[in-house]
Amino acid sequence: MGIFSKPKKQQDSKSANTQEQVFLGENFDVRMKWFKDTFQKSDDITFHELTANQTRCGIVFLQCMVDQQLFDDQVLKYIVSPNFASSRKELFHKLLDLKSISTMCASILTDIREATDLVLDGKIIIFFEGDSRMLAIPLTSVEKRAVGETANENVIRGPREAFVEDIHTNITMIRRKIKSPDLKMEQLQIGKYTKTKVMIGYIEGLCKEELITEVKQRINQIDIDGVLGSSYLEECIDNFPLSPFPQSQKTERPDVAAASLLEGRVVIFVDGTPIPLLLPVTMYMFLQSAEDYYQRYFLSSFIRLLRYAYLVVSLLFPSFYIAITTFHPEMIPTTLLISVAASRDNVPFPGLVEAFIMEIAFEGLREAGIRTPKAIGQAIGILGALVIGQSAVQAGIVSAPMVIIVSLTGIASFIIPAYDFAFTIRLLRFPIMILAGSFGIFGLMIGCILIYIHVVNLHSFGVPYLSPTAPLRPNDLKDVFIRAPWWLMKRRPSFVGSSDSNRLTIKKSISEGDED
């Protein structure tokens, strides 16, 4: 398992993430001093010292994360009321009996360090003199983005909702789709300073226990200052961190995450990011789109085969053009060879340098279109395609066929649904171009063989990266190169190792038809 197989490192990280509990007893002044010393120079922390029924009461909360008006109306007015409780001992019990508090999922605690963490999480901490217990009331009021449409995984017939940055909203969207008590959500906390919530979701009985244990073990081994996105965890839990190929799937669609859970996979949610991680993953999953499962199976199969064809185009087309024009011109038909030679007559650069100039210029235009405001991003793409390309051809810097080759290659890379996998293909295009420009078709084949050797040795949490083709599992090929109809995909993918392989049962055979 690589760097994650060292038990000593696991033990060290666990001890670093464990905080010792602190109990300060019933003394009011000691507890209030703890809070003030802990949050000194933090002007956004509010400290209230009140007298309720001749009993000192302390209230601590974070101003920007608490609905203070609701707290005043639902809780505070009862605390300061002289008729609320008849004695100090009755005060805490009366407060818990309030209908407003009982519906807020309030919690009781005695650990002052835990109370400090809850203040930073947006809870209101209330404690009384002579009582070691503290009450944490969740009245969090934080601005968050509303659920909207997906930005990168658009579909025609499927749902339009997308994950947001709030982890509880994301889990709610999953719970709405999978209404089963077997859907488990285990919470972890990562980050010395950020204390980021991480939820590990899986369906008990479908997901292998070994996979769940391995995921939790790798996450618990991470000792980091802060986690601001799921990519922080992704790089720390990969089996092969030096590989350019992604080893976990990302999505912003709740339906894709729910489908992964139903296959027996694990979903990792990270608070503050709308993109969870799906584990394990195979290479073929990056060529699947949510749209495949909302269209008729023969339409989806055609589009999926088209993606595989354009995957080859995106990876090898420029290299193939460089190889045949530089080393193997006899492979080109005579008429086409004359046309290509005439277009390259005034170009001062060899094919490899010409391809590098165009590819780097295309990547620069792509990045500029992403980073610029949306109002002018499209204009940059049009400007680069029409003006710069045409001007470069007229100036004799590049040939017209090379512009066509690079443009078609760029379009092919956009067809790949997964952005990180498409980026890997774009990155591998450059070393293959160098091999093709140095050794021709032989160099191109050497590059393909090296990539295949690397990919066939990759694993994602114990699952071979090329599964179900290597090793071959014929029953799992129904949803790889094509998408078979739902009534034929009766079993879950076997490479996930789910204990319950049956996914679909049809009481009446489709082939029987309707005899009425």
Side-chain angles (χ1 to χ4, degrees):
M1 306 311 291
I3 63 174
F4 299 100
S5 59
K6 301 179 181 179
K8 182 177 180 180
K9 182 176 181 181
Q10 178 184 356
Q11 183 178 358
D12 294 343
S13 63
K14 284 188 176 180
S15 61
N17 290 332
T18 302
Q19 289 186 338
E20 183 180 356
Q21 294 182 340
V22 178
F23 303 99
L24 299 183
E26 302 177 355
N27 193 298
F28 177 87
D29 293 323
V30 172
R31 286 183 289 177
M32 183 58 76
K33 185 178 184 299
W34 167 280
F35 283 117
K36 289 184 178 180
D37 290 345
T38 303
F39 296 118
Q40 61 178 335
K41 299 181 182 180
S42 298
D43 295 334
D44 55 342
I45 302 292
T46 298
F47 304 94
H48 284 320
E49 295 186 32
L50 309 173
T51 300
N53 195 13
Q54 299 181 353
T55 302
R56 298 173 69 188
C57 172
I59 302 175
V60 184
F61 61 89
L62 187 59
Q63 295 176 7
C64 58
M65 296 182 64
V66 168
D67 190 339
Q68 190 170 353
Q69 183 63 43
L70 184 60
F71 172 71
D72 293 342
D73 296 339
Q74 300 293 333
V75 180
L76 187 58
K77 71 176 184 179
Y78 295 103
I79 296 178
V80 299
S81 175
N83 300 323
F84 180 61
S86 60
S87 64
R88 185 186 67 182
K89 294 182 179 179
E90 190 182 7
L91 189 60
F92 199 92
H93 296 286
K94 283 283 188 180
L95 193 59
L96 286 175
D97 290 338
L98 281 179
K99 182 178 180 182
S100 57
I101 291 184
S102 63
T103 58
M104 293 175 189
C105 300
S107 58
I108 301 174
L109 61 150
T110 55
D111 180 10
I112 194 72
R113 194 184 295 275
E114 181 183 356
T116 303
D117 293 338
L118 291 177
V119 170
L120 295 173
D121 197 38
K123 307 294 192 300
I124 298 176
I125 300 298
I126 304 176
F127 57 96
F128 298 97
E129 184 180 19
D131 196 324
S132 62
R133 296 173 298 174
M134 291 172 283
L135 185 64
I137 303 176
L139 281 177
T140 307
S141 176
V142 180
E143 294 294 331
K144 58 185 178 181
R145 182 168 60 94
V147 177
E149 294 191 17
T150 58
N152 302 313
E153 300 177 68
N154 298 322
V155 296
I156 303 299
R157 296 181 58 181
R160 298 291 191 269
E161 61 183 2
F163 287 126
V164 295
E165 286 73 16
D166 182 63
I167 190 172
H168 300 291
T169 303
N170 295 339
I171 293 174
T172 299
M173 287 191 281
I174 295 296
R175 289 286 185 184
R176 287 174 52 197
K177 295 182 179 297
I178 303 179
K179 303 179 179 66
S180 171
D182 293 329
L183 175 59
K184 308 299 181 182
M185 292 288 176
E186 296 189 27
Q187 179 174 321
L188 303 176
Q189 192 178 82
I190 306 297
K192 179 180 179 181
Y193 296 103
T194 60
K195 294 180 172 34
T196 306
K197 294 179 183 177
V198 176
M199 287 284 191
I200 300 177
Y202 60 92
I203 297 182
E204 192 174 37
L206 298 186
C207 186
K208 287 195 306 182
E209 289 295 333
E210 295 83 356
L211 174 61
I212 302 170
T213 303
E214 181 70 16
V215 171
K216 291 191 290 187
Q217 179 183 357
R218 295 195 191 187
I219 295 178
N220 284 328
Q221 290 172 359
I222 301 173
D223 185 11
I224 188 172
D225 286 345
V227 175
L228 303 179
S230 56
S231 58
Y232 286 57
L233 298 182
E234 176 191 2
E235 294 188 17
C236 294
I237 65 177
D238 282 347
N239 289 78
F240 302 88
L242 299 181
S243 174
F245 286 89
Q247 296 157 55
S248 59
Q249 185 181 1
K250 276 75 68 178
T251 185
E252 56 182 347
R253 299 184 58 89
D255 56 335
V256 174
S260 299
L261 290 169
L262 293 173
E263 287 182 347
R265 300 165 68 193
V266 171
V267 180
I268 302 177
F269 296 93
V270 178
D271 195 16
T273 178
I275 303 177
L277 303 178
L278 314 179
L279 302 168
V281 69
T282 65
M283 187 189 73
Y284 303 107
M285 293 180 181
F286 295 112
L287 295 169
Q288 299 172 358
S289 171
E291 185 71 36
D292 296 348
Y293 303 94
Y294 297 118
Q295 299 286 356
R296 297 295 301 275
Y297 65 92
F298 50 85
L299 299 177
S300 300
S301 299
F302 170 75
I303 296 299
R304 189 173 291 183
L305 291 174
L306 193 65
R307 291 195 198 110
Y308 281 97
Y310 274 95
L311 171 65
V312 177
V313 170
S314 177
L315 181 63
L316 302 179
F317 201 21
S319 304
F320 182 74
Y321 176 79
I322 293 171
I324 62 173
T325 55
T326 305
F327 292 92
H328 314 283
E330 68 278 1
M331 297 178 61
I332 308 176
T334 305
T335 305
L336 180 59
L337 179 62
I338 294 174
S339 177
V340 171
S343 64
R344 289 186 45 82
D345 189 30
N346 296 325
V347 177
F349 305 109
L352 178 61
V353 176
E354 183 185 5
F356 259 86
I357 292 174
M358 288 302 300
E359 285 289 350
I360 293 176
F362 188 87
E363 293 296 332
L365 288 171
R366 187 203 305 261
E367 188 67 16
I370 294 175
R371 304 305 167 196
T372 52
K374 292 183 179 180
I376 62 176
Q378 186 176 4
I380 290 179
I382 297 175
L383 177 67
L386 297 180
V387 179
I388 298 179
Q390 184 65 23
S391 300
V393 172
Q394 292 179 353
I397 299 177
V398 296
S399 62
M402 182 58 71
V403 174
I404 298 174
I405 295 294
V406 173
S407 301
L408 184 59
T409 303
I411 294 173
S413 65
F414 289 129
I415 296 178
I416 301 176
Y419 175 79
D420 49 351
F421 185 75
F423 199 101
T424 299
I425 299 301
R426 287 157 48 194
L427 183 65
L428 293 175
R429 190 186 304 155
F430 290 96
I432 296 181
M433 286 167 51
I434 294 176
L435 290 172
S438 302
F439 305 104
I441 294 294
F442 176 75
L444 188 149
M445 295 306 299
I446 289 296
C448 294
I449 292 173
L450 291 176
I451 292 175
Y452 179 76
I453 292 175
H454 173 70
V455 171
V456 81
N457 284 281
L458 286 181
H459 290 79
S460 175
F461 286 83
V463 175
Y465 204 63
L466 291 182
S467 184
T469 58
L472 181 63
R473 294 183 172 93
N475 291 331
D476 293 341
L477 295 176
K478 299 175 182 178
D479 193 22
V480 177
F481 301 105
I482 62 171
R483 183 183 78 79
W486 275 111
W487 42 271
L488 283 180
M489 294 191 295
K490 299 180 180 180
R491 295 187 178 274
R492 292 183 181 84
S494 60
F495 59 84
V496 179
S498 174
S499 57
D500 184 7
S501 61
N502 189 31
R503 175 165 57 182
L504 172 67
T505 301
I506 300 178
K507 297 181 179 180
K508 183 178 180 180
S509 175
I510 296 294
S511 60
E512 294 180 7
D514 190 356
E515 299 178 357
D516 295 336

Coordinates of all heavy atoms in Angstrom, one line a residue, residues 389-417:
G389 N -4.7 31.8 -35.4 CA -4.5 30.7 -36.3 C -4.3 31.0 -37.8 O -3.4 30.6 -38.4
Q390 N -5.2 31.9 -38.3 CA -5.1 32.3 -39.7 C -3.9 33.2 -39.9 O -3.2 33.0 -40.9 CB -6.4 33.1 -40.0 CG -6.5 33.5 -41.5 CD -6.6 32.4 -42.4 OE1 -7.0 31.3 -42.0 NE2 -6.2 32.5 -43.7
S391 N -3.6 34.0 -38.9 CA -2.4 34.9 -39.1 C -1.1 34.0 -39.1 O -0.2 34.3 -39.8 CB -2.3 35.9 -38.0 OG -3.5 36.7 -38.0
A392 N -1.1 33.0 -38.2 CA 0.1 32.2 -38.2 C 0.3 31.4 -39.5 O 1.5 31.2 -39.9 CB 0.0 31.2 -37.0
V393 N -0.8 31.0 -40.1 CA -0.7 30.3 -41.4 C -0.2 31.2 -42.5 O 0.7 30.9 -43.3 CB -2.0 29.6 -41.8 CG1 -2.0 29.1 -43.2 CG2 -2.4 28.5 -40.8
Q394 N -0.8 32.4 -42.5 CA -0.4 33.4 -43.6 C 1.1 33.9 -43.4 O 1.8 34.2 -44.4 CB -1.3 34.6 -43.5 CG -2.7 34.2 -44.0 CD -3.7 35.4 -43.9 OE1 -3.3 36.5 -43.4 NE2 -4.9 35.3 -44.5
A395 N 1.5 33.9 -42.1 CA 2.9 34.4 -41.9 C 3.9 33.3 -42.1 O 5.1 33.5 -42.1 CB 3.0 34.9 -40.4
G396 N 3.5 32.0 -42.4 CA 4.4 30.9 -42.6 C 5.0 30.3 -41.4 O 6.0 29.6 -41.5
I397 N 4.5 30.6 -40.2 CA 5.0 30.1 -39.0 C 4.6 28.6 -38.8 O 5.4 27.7 -38.4 CB 4.6 30.9 -37.8 CG1 5.1 32.3 -37.9 CG2 5.1 30.3 -36.5 CD1 4.7 33.2 -36.8
V398 N 3.3 28.3 -39.1 CA 2.8 26.9 -39.1 C 2.1 26.7 -40.4 O 1.7 27.6 -41.1 CB 1.9 26.7 -37.9 CG1 2.6 26.9 -36.6 CG2 0.7 27.7 -37.9
S399 N 1.8 25.4 -40.6 CA 1.1 25.0 -41.8 C -0.4 24.8 -41.5 O -0.8 24.6 -40.4 CB 1.7 23.7 -42.4 OG 1.5 22.6 -41.4
A400 N -1.2 24.9 -42.6 CA -2.6 24.8 -42.4 C -3.0 23.4 -41.9 O -3.9 23.3 -41.0 CB -3.3 25.1 -43.7
P401 N -2.4 22.3 -42.4 CA -2.8 21.0 -41.8 C -2.5 20.8 -40.3 O -3.3 20.2 -39.6 CB -1.9 20.0 -42.6 CG -1.6 20.7 -43.9 CD -1.5 22.1 -43.6
M402 N -1.4 21.5 -39.8 CA -1.1 21.4 -38.4 C -2.2 22.1 -37.6 O -2.5 21.7 -36.5 CB 0.3 22.0 -38.1 CG 0.7 21.9 -36.7 SD 0.7 20.2 -36.0 CE 2.1 19.6 -36.9
V403 N -2.7 23.2 -38.1 CA -3.8 23.9 -37.4 C -5.0 23.0 -37.3 O -5.7 23.0 -36.3 CB -4.1 25.2 -38.1 CG1 -5.4 25.9 -37.5 CG2 -2.9 26.2 -38.1
I404 N -5.3 22.3 -38.4 CA -6.4 21.4 -38.4 C -6.2 20.3 -37.4 O -7.1 19.9 -36.6 CB -6.7 20.8 -39.8 CG1 -7.0 22.0 -40.8 CG2 -7.8 19.8 -39.8 CD1 -7.1 21.5 -42.2
I405 N -5.0 19.7 -37.4 CA -4.7 18.6 -36.5 C -4.8 19.0 -35.1 O -5.5 18.4 -34.2 CB -3.2 18.1 -36.8 CG1 -3.1 17.5 -38.2 CG2 -2.8 17.1 -35.7 CD1 -3.9 16.2 -38.4
V406 N -4.3 20.2 -34.7 CA -4.3 20.6 -33.3 C -5.7 21.0 -32.9 O -6.2 20.7 -31.8 CB -3.4 21.8 -33.1 CG1 -3.5 22.4 -31.7 CG2 -1.9 21.4 -33.3
S407 N -6.5 21.6 -33.8 CA -7.9 22.0 -33.5 C -8.7 20.7 -33.3 O -9.5 20.7 -32.3 CB -8.5 22.8 -34.6 OG -7.7 24.0 -34.8
L408 N -8.6 19.7 -34.1 CA -9.3 18.5 -33.9 C -8.9 17.8 -32.6 O -9.8 17.2 -31.9 CB -9.1 17.6 -35.1 CG -9.9 16.3 -35.2 CD1 -11.4 16.6 -35.1 CD2 -9.6 15.4 -36.4
T409 N -7.6 17.8 -32.3 CA -7.2 17.2 -31.1 C -7.7 17.9 -29.9 O -8.1 17.3 -28.9 CB -5.6 17.2 -31.0 OG1 -5.1 16.6 -32.2 CG2 -5.1 16.6 -29.8
G410 N -7.8 19.3 -29.9 CA -8.4 20.0 -28.8 C -9.8 19.7 -28.6 O -10.3 19.5 -27.5
I411 N -10.6 19.6 -29.7 CA -12.0 19.2 -29.6 C -12.2 17.8 -29.0 O -13.1 17.6 -28.2 CB -12.7 19.3 -31.0 CG1 -12.7 20.8 -31.5 CG2 -14.1 18.8 -31.0 CD1 -13.2 21.0 -32.9
A412 N -11.3 16.9 -29.4 CA -11.4 15.6 -28.9 C -11.2 15.5 -27.4 O -11.8 14.7 -26.7 CB -10.3 14.7 -29.6
S413 N -10.3 16.3 -26.9 CA -10.0 16.3 -25.5 C -11.3 16.9 -24.7 O -11.5 16.5 -23.5 CB -8.8 17.2 -25.1 OG -9.0 18.5 -25.4
F414 N -12.1 17.7 -25.3 CA -13.3 18.2 -24.6 C -14.4 17.2 -24.5 O -15.3 17.3 -23.7 CB -13.8 19.4 -25.4 CG -13.0 20.7 -25.2 CD1 -12.6 21.4 -26.4 CD2 -12.6 21.1 -24.0 CE1 -11.8 22.5 -26.3 CE2 -11.8 22.2 -23.9 CZ -11.4 23.0 -25.0
I415 N -14.3 16.1 -25.3 CA -15.3 15.1 -25.3 C -15.2 14.2 -24.1 O -16.2 13.6 -23.7 CB -15.3 14.3 -26.6 CG1 -15.6 15.2 -27.8 CG2 -16.2 13.1 -26.6 CD1 -15.5 14.6 -29.2
I416 N -14.0 14.1 -23.5 CA -13.8 13.2 -22.4 C -14.5 13.9 -21.2 O -14.3 15.0 -20.8 CB -12.3 13.1 -22.1 CG1 -11.6 12.5 -23.3 CG2 -12.1 12.3 -20.8 CD1 -10.1 12.4 -23.1
P417 N -15.5 13.2 -20.5 CA -16.3 13.8 -19.5 C -15.5 14.2 -18.2 O -15.8 15.3 -17.7 CB -17.3 12.6 -19.1 CG -17.3 11.7 -20.3 CD -15.9 11.8 -20.8

